[in-house]
Every structure is written in structure tokens, then in C-alpha cells.
Amino acid sequence: MGKNYILSHIDDLSAEQLAGEIVQGNVTLEELRNTGNLDATKRNKINSLIKAKDDADDKAWEIARYGNESSLRDYITKFPNGRHVAEARQEIDRLRNEKEANYAQKAGIIDKIKRNPNSYSPAEIEAYIANGTLTKGELESDCGIPKSALDNLDQIVAPNLVLGKTPDSIPEGYTEVYFWGGTGSGKTCALGAVLRVAEEQGYLRIATGPGYQYALQLKNIFSDDKEANDFLPPPTPVENNQYLPFSLKKPKEKNSRSVSLIELSGEIFKCFFNKNAGIPFPTQSHADTFNSLSSFLKSDNRKLHFFFVDYDRENKPDAQGLTQSDYLNAAATYFMNNKVFDKTTDAIYVVVTKSDLFIDKDGNAIIGDDEKIKYAINYLRQKNYSSFINSLKENCERYSINGGILKVLPFSLGKVYFKQICNFDGREASHIVDILIERIKCSRKSILDVFNK
């Protein structure tokens, strides 16, 4: 009804009708009163009806305001002219914007995990599951995360590696194998994988004495059960190098290959930068360990060198503003100035870790050994490792190492999820075992004899 009609027919309209017109906004109670035709009885009844309507409106709003979009829409339907319609519409807009933002966040998280299953830690993934951002079903179906990895999210127990004491000198007459790399570059896990594969192939015997427990713990990190249930250790921040003596012998061979493997602490690896820059080492322990390493490198034992580069770190600056390539370049400069490779080095390899994350421009995984090698080489060129690579190449050419050719190896533990959960695959670790078998000569003397005396 129009306002003029209502005002001219107050006596003909019931209190219920007039209250309804007021609620719909067609007229106000004040306008009705100003006509002088609204008696007190009808006015009081209109007030009671409006109050009851408002009370029902408020009660419905208290329920709807904490609900979802559907409950808010139900409120608007029941009270199209209600006192809280504007608030309800604002809340609907807020929920829609939040929903769109959450959808965009979820899509971004899923895309990151699809491209790199180590984009988030187990704690972050568990938080996303708990707050409903992701479900385990979505992680499995949309991101390709295996059920075994999801089942182990709350079962992770990182290995507590017991580090062995590094000797003052390396026994003479046995090949020294050096694993170089910064903190978190993956050399510790690579060493564990190599030991595991060598044991599975029946080649491995670990010498008692220094590093014995550490070596056993490393190899036992990995199982070969095709399940994502192996838990990786965190980077070791200590400044001590680890020494692991062991032998490799094929089943039908009479003599074994003796290996003195030195895993360089990432902290000590950084000391090459301090040395070149004339900056004091952080502690006396750093200095002592660095000097010990320098004496190892001067020994007459034959040597193999593996330099580990973390593919996933993308050569970004650390807390000191220095990148992986800065530390590698510093080491290369030290090696060149001190002629580390001049007489005793038989092989140099650059190992690009986490090759399971290699993808092409379309997001497809790089597979095949040759394709991975090409990809690793291009990665080193594109990520500012050229100076380091060129320095090692020059050493290879100058001292006829590797036939004058620098070798690049892609390396993977298999598939790693959320930075800590691994489904071990030893195929690429077996390549390093093959190199040790090929490049280290068998000898009647065994390093086991040295430590078993």
C-alpha cells in the first residue's frame, strides 16, 4: 500500500496491517500519530506487535550471525526488512572474500607441494590439516603425496647421530674420499645412502674404532621397503669433520678396496672464506679442525673429491649474506692457491643433490640419467656457480684429473616429503658406489687391519 492510502485509511486498517506497513518501511508510527486518527489502543497494539517482531528479528540474527552464508541468507529471506539485513549482507560479502582468499591460498599451497613436496615442514602440513586448509585426501590425490608419508607425519623421530672423534692423522696407503659441502647440502644423507647401498650389494665392511657408530647409524637411516617411512637427520651444526674408515669388496674378489672417508663439516667448509678474507675463525675448535684437515690434504694417499651442491637452496644468501657459490668459490680459491689437487687427486665430482626435484619449464619431472646430468650442468651455469666450476675444470685439466674433464653427478635419496620423510631409492647412490669401486684399487692390505689391531 502507498503511504497516502495508509494515512487516509487508518480507521479501516487493523493494528496488524499497520504494524506490517511500518515494518516494511512504507510508513512510520510518527506519521500515523500526526494524522490524529490513531487511537491509543491501536497504537499500543502496534507497538507490541513491532516489539515482538523486533525481538524475533534479534533472536534470529543472533543465531544467523555466527553461521555460514546459508544461515545468513535464510535470515534475509525471513526478515527482508529486518534490522540486521545490512549487517547480514556485509557478513556474506566477508565470508565470500574469505572463501576466495582461502581457495587462492589452498591452490597456492597445493601448487607448491606438487612442484616441490618439501615446500613445507611436517608441522606446517599438520597445521594446515588441523585448521581445514588441506585434507589428507587432497594431499594424496592433488599433490601426489603417498599415504605412507601422511601416516608418518606425527611419527617422525629424527636420528640422533653420535659423531665420532676425528683422528690426528689418516693411515697411509689407503684412498681418502672427501665429501665437501656447506651445512644442509645433503652430504650426510648421501653418505648414509652410499653406505646403505654398499651393504645391500654385499660390498661393505665398516672398520671398528672412530666413526663406527656414526657409520652404522647413517646406513640404518634408510630402508628399501618402498614406503615413505625413513626420517632424515637435521643438518649437523658442529665444526668437527667426521672420519669413516671402511672397505669395499665384491663377492668374488680376493682383495678389498680400503676407503678413508672424510665428511667435511659445513662449518669448516665455510672457514675457507674466512681464510681467504683474513678473518679469524669463529672458535679455536674451528681453527684446530681446519688445520687438521689441511694436514690430511697434504698426505701422500690417493684422493677422490665429491663436492655437494644443494639444488633446493637456489643459491640464496645465508644469515651472513653469503651464498653456496660464495663458499664453494672460496674453497676453490684455497685449493688453487695451495695446490691441493696437484699430485694425489684421482677424481673430482660435483654432486647436485635432490635431483628428484628437477623439473622442466612445463613442470614435468626430469627423468633419465643423461637428461638429469644435462639439467644439473645447466643449473650450475644458471645459478652463478660458473666460477667454481671453471676453477675445478682448470684443476682437472692442469693435473690430468678425470682425463681433464670435470664430472657432474645428479643425486637423489629417492622421494623426500616435507623435508624429513623419505621413500628411499638407492639407484643414484649406487652410482657413487660404482665410482668408488672403479676408481679405488684393490689392495692386499686392508684398512680394517689398521683398526682391528
Side-chain angles (χ1 to χ4, degrees), residues 225-237:
D225 56 5
K226 312 304 179 188
E227 295 284 326
N229 55 8
D230 301 328
F231 306 134
L232 305 183
T236 305

Side-chain angles (χ1 to χ4, degrees), residues 349-394:
Y349 293 86
V350 177
V351 183
V352 182
T353 63
K354 303 175 185 175
S355 68
D356 51 296
L357 301 181
F358 291 1
I359 55 174
D360 62 22
K361 60 182 180 181
D362 298 320
N364 300 313
I366 304 295
I367 56 176
D369 292 344
D370 292 340
E371 288 75 15
K372 282 190 172 184
I373 290 172
K374 290 177 183 177
Y375 186 93
I377 292 171
N378 287 331
Y379 168 80
L380 293 170
R381 288 172 178 164
Q382 294 168 4
K383 297 298 181 179
N384 296 323
Y385 291 99
S386 293
S387 295
F388 169 66
I389 295 300
N390 290 337
S391 177
L392 292 185
K393 279 184 178 178
E394 185 178 341

Side-chain angles (χ1 to χ4, degrees), residues 84-103:
H84 307 285
V85 167
E87 290 178 81
R89 290 194 173 118
Q90 288 178 352
E91 183 64 12
I92 288 172
D93 289 340
R94 187 191 70 79
L95 289 175
R96 281 185 171 180
N97 292 336
E98 185 179 85
K99 187 176 181 180
E100 290 175 2
N102 289 339
Y103 180 82

Side-chain angles (χ1 to χ4, degrees), residues 53 60 72-82:
K53 187 76 170 177
L72 292 166
R73 290 198 172 280
D74 287 343
Y75 166 78
I76 294 174
T77 300
K78 292 177 182 177
F79 299 91
N81 299 295

